[in-house]
Amino acid sequence: MAAVSDYDIVIVGAGVSGSFIAGALTRAGLRCVLLEAGQSFASSDYPDNELDANALLYWGGGIELNKDASIGLLRPKAVGGGSIVNQALLDRFDDSAFDSWRETSGVDFLNRSSLDPWYDAAAENLSIRTVPEEYANGNARIFRDGFAANGYRCAPLERAQGDCRFEDGNCCIECLRGCPIDSKQSTPVTVLRKARDAGLEIVSRFEALRVENGTDRVTVHGRDHDGEQKSYRGRHLVLGAGAIGNSRLLLMSGFAERLPALGDNFYTHPQYMSLAVYDEPVNAHRGPLQSYKSADPGFRANGFKLENVFAGPIGIAMLVPSFGTEHMRHMRDITRMACIEVAVRDTNPGRITVGSSGKPIVEKTLNEEDRKRRDRGLEAIRNIFRATGAKQIIEGNIAIGLHLMGGCNIGVDPARSVVSPEFRLHGHDKIHVADSSIFPNAPGINPSFTIMALSSMAAEKIAADAR
Ligand SMILES: Cc1cc2nc3c(=O)[nH]c(=O)nc-3n(C[C@H](O)[C@H](O)[C@H](O)COP(=O)(O)OP(=O)(O)OC[C@H]3O[C@@H](n4cnc5c(N)ncnc54)[C@H](O)[C@@H]3O)c2cc1C
């Protein structure tokens, strides 16, 4: 018989949402435990190379594939979740995102004026800065100049960062595998540090495998890194395991019977990276990785946005569609390459189910409208590269899904949604969710800041319920 530990609140998943909720509930004086399948890292021991980072910071050893292998899914796995590996770009949603959310969900508070105080509350936990213009690297300058040459609008982007010490030559491509100088405002250096000091218990390398909803307690059963079965029991349970993680856990626990929409409505903002080779060095890997964001109303109306990220050599090698000596020749050009990606605001919902071995199966394709959105974005990228003197353009043919959203969508109708406007699973008063899994559809905007805002809002409701 597995040992059972008792708490006020059990939280599964120490990503963006789980961390923010754990912090707020601990501050409210509740006894919380935060369970995370991934490891806990200090800034000094993040993996120092791309290969180890893929293996140690992601589920599936770096990348998982959807059912027809057309989209690579990046699913973070660490204390801090996506905040460890992401680019920390923070954006509030606009009316287009919220209008569409309200229409799909019937949830009235999904609008800017209701959410703004919660964005503000979340921001109090972070340092948010723009990257000083003088540090813009070659890739960012191509992005900015190409936008100007085509009459497209771009803007400085806002990042959750402290002091990145760019004057010392720091390169933020490194922070994609965990920021070694604690500048990136990932949750272990923000909300979790304070929460731990205030008594939050964090259990890393524990995978939750089953949720049992009893009359006055909810129990999470799972196993630790050594394979030992353990259980954690709380008066309330918060699920923060992300879109795929929450759907998988609830499906494996038999909740589908009472929640017919469980696992549906899954979106990814599929992203396609295009590379361009220039005569002169670009050094896209140096300094701040991104300085500007696309802010073009025409792009927004056409359902895409552009970002100029770069990947490590392994990531770039996957995108270059060639073999053998030709591939080696391309890779020798890596310092002369620029990269821009198009992220599609996808309209075709996917579906998460669980295979017999417990592995999540993701059915997700692009429909005609999504392909049109992608193609319009690729055309804008080609225009930018051509206007800035690119000698060759290489279109990466793999879609990457790294904004994983939905599966437990919020809504008023229990037949078509999973989570109620009170952030509780429909029909289950003690199980709460406010992470990326509750997104009703794809907003087309970076999701983290809104996850923080919704989680801060939900935490207040959960604290009231728990009291
Ligand atoms: C490379 C990359 C770059 C990105 N860049 C940006 C960006 O610049 N701006 C932005 O807004 N967004 C960005 N994102 C997306 C953003 O990071 C995610 O949307 C966000 O992290 C989702 O938050 P979450 O709380 O829903 O889940 P996550 O942060 O993914 O956390 C979920 C956690 O739950 C854990 N978990 C899952 N299942 C279990 C289980 N059964 N038991 C225990 N633990 C479990 C996972 O290991 C994980 O740590 C990026 C993502 C990636 C991968």
Side-chain angles (χ1 to χ4, degrees), residues 243 246-265 351-353 407-409 414-418 425:
N246 282 348
S247 303
R248 172 182 175 245
L249 182 56
L250 290 170
L251 286 165
M252 290 198 304
S253 308
F255 282 71
E257 215 172 293
R258 287 179 62 187
L259 297 168
L262 180 60
D264 293 348
N265 299 299
R351 183 155 180 259
I352 301 161
T353 53
C408 301
N409 60 321
R416 295 193 301 126
S417 62
V418 176
L425 285 190

Side-chain angles (χ1 to χ4, degrees), residues 12-17 35-38 58-59 74 76-78 81-83 85-89 206-208 240-242 245 248 402-403 435-436 446-448 451:
V12 176
V16 174
S17 175
L35 307 173
E36 166 57 49
Y58 285 100
W59 290 80
L74 299 185
K77 184 182 185 185
S83 76
V85 296
N86 74 16
Q87 254 300 287
L89 313 182
F206 173 88
E207 184 177 356
R248 172 182 175 245
L402 44 82
H403 296 167
D435 68 0
S436 53
N446 281 307
S448 291
I451 296 167

Side-chain angles (χ1 to χ4, degrees), residues 25-211:
L25 296 182
T26 305
R27 271 199 309 279
L30 293 156
R31 187 161 174 259
C32 302
V33 63
L34 179 57
L35 307 173
E36 166 57 49
Q39 295 186 45
S40 176
F41 293 89
S43 54
S44 53
D45 57 30
Y46 284 121
D48 66 0
N49 66 79
E50 199 185 350
L51 197 59
D52 289 343
N54 290 345
L56 294 173
L57 299 174
Y58 285 100
W59 290 80
I63 202 159
E64 295 169 308
L65 294 170
N66 65 337
K67 196 171 175 191
D68 70 3
S70 59
I71 306 180
L73 304 166
L74 299 185
R75 189 156 63 107
K77 184 182 185 185
V79 171
S83 76
I84 300 294
V85 296
N86 74 16
Q87 254 300 287
L89 313 182
L90 296 188
D91 283 306
R92 296 182 188 218
F93 284 5
D94 61 10
D95 287 343
S96 164
F98 280 129
D99 290 350
S100 143
W101 272 20
R102 275 198 318 283
E103 195 182 320
T104 307
S105 67
V107 178
D108 291 339
F109 69 75
L110 295 173
N111 62 66
R112 259 309 274 274
S113 57
S114 302
L115 264 294
D116 265 339
W118 297 105
Y119 282 117
D120 294 342
E124 276 172 23
N125 296 289
L126 310 167
S127 156
I128 303 176
R129 299 188 184 183
T130 55
V131 176
E133 180 94 3
E134 65 269 29
Y135 293 117
N137 73 4
N139 201 25
R141 287 196 300 271
I142 286 168
F143 190 80
R144 179 195 62 199
D145 295 350
F147 266 66
N150 284 283
Y152 303 146
R153 203 189 299 166
C154 72
L157 55 80
E158 297 199 319
R159 252 192 120 228
Q161 67 183 46
D163 181 3
C164 290
R165 294 193 244 135
F166 296 126
E167 65 282 8
D168 297 341
N170 280 331
C171 301
C172 47
I173 197 162
E174 281 187 43
C175 87
L176 294 177
R177 45 186 158 81
C179 176
I181 56 168
D182 276 351
S183 171
K184 182 159 65 167
Q185 304 287 283
S186 51
T187 62
V189 299
T190 57
V191 285
L192 286 185
R193 185 175 283 166
K194 284 187 221 145
R196 219 192 273 255
D197 292 346
L200 172 68
E201 193 177 324
I202 302 178
V203 180
S204 58
R205 296 177 133 195
F206 173 88
E207 184 177 356
L209 294 170
R210 193 165 56 86
V211 170

Side-chain angles (χ1 to χ4, degrees), residues 258-463:
R258 287 179 62 187
L259 297 168
L262 180 60
D264 293 348
N265 299 299
F266 174 70
Y267 297 85
T268 70
H269 290 161
Q271 312 197 353
Y272 295 81
M273 293 169 93
S274 289
L275 302 162
V277 185
Y278 288 77
D279 281 339
E280 299 299 321
V282 175
N283 290 326
H285 58 292
R286 294 255 170 89
L289 204 49
Q290 285 174 277
S291 303
Y292 307 101
K293 61 179 179 184
S294 66
D296 194 275
F299 291 1
R300 184 82 179 123
N302 277 300
F304 70 87
K305 72 183 179 89
L306 304 187
E307 283 199 19
N308 76 320
V309 286
F310 205 69
I314 295 173
I316 296 294
M318 277 176 54
L319 293 169
V320 175
S322 55
F323 295 99
T325 47
E326 195 196 345
H327 193 264
M328 283 169 72
R329 190 174 50 73
H330 276 307
M331 289 305 291
R332 280 197 198 102
D333 287 335
I334 194 165
T335 55
R336 292 192 292 117
M337 284 179 186
C339 181
I340 302 179
E341 71 180 18
V342 50
V344 176
R345 184 179 185 184
D346 45 334
T347 60
N348 194 31
R351 183 155 180 259
I352 301 161
T353 53
V354 180
S356 53
S357 64
K359 281 217 156 131
I361 299 170
V362 175
E363 288 169 70
K364 169 78 185 156
T365 52
L366 271 63
N367 60 16
E368 203 183 328
E369 172 61 23
D370 296 341
R371 284 193 292 275
K372 266 194 215 151
R373 292 174 178 212
R374 174 198 63 195
D375 293 344
R376 286 184 203 125
L378 290 173
E379 190 188 337
I381 294 174
R382 284 193 294 274
N383 292 340
I384 292 166
F385 283 149
R386 285 192 193 116
T388 48
K391 293 294 168 251
Q392 187 190 2
I393 297 173
I394 305 166
E395 272 171 18
N397 49 8
I398 304 174
I400 312 283
L402 44 82
H403 296 167
L404 310 176
M405 304 164 290
C408 301
N409 60 321
I410 192 168
V412 291
D413 179 359
R416 295 193 301 126
S417 62
V418 176
V419 170
S420 74
E422 289 75 38
F423 299 101
R424 301 183 192 123
L425 285 190
H426 286 300
H428 301 83
D429 282 357
K430 296 186 298 297
I431 305 180
H432 312 259
V433 195
D435 68 0
S436 53
S437 69
I438 71 168
F439 281 26
N441 58 35
I445 297 179
N446 281 307
S448 291
F449 206 11
T450 303
I451 296 167
M452 294 174 199
L454 290 170
S455 299
S456 305
M457 186 183 202
E460 195 176 78
K461 290 182 195 289
I462 300 166

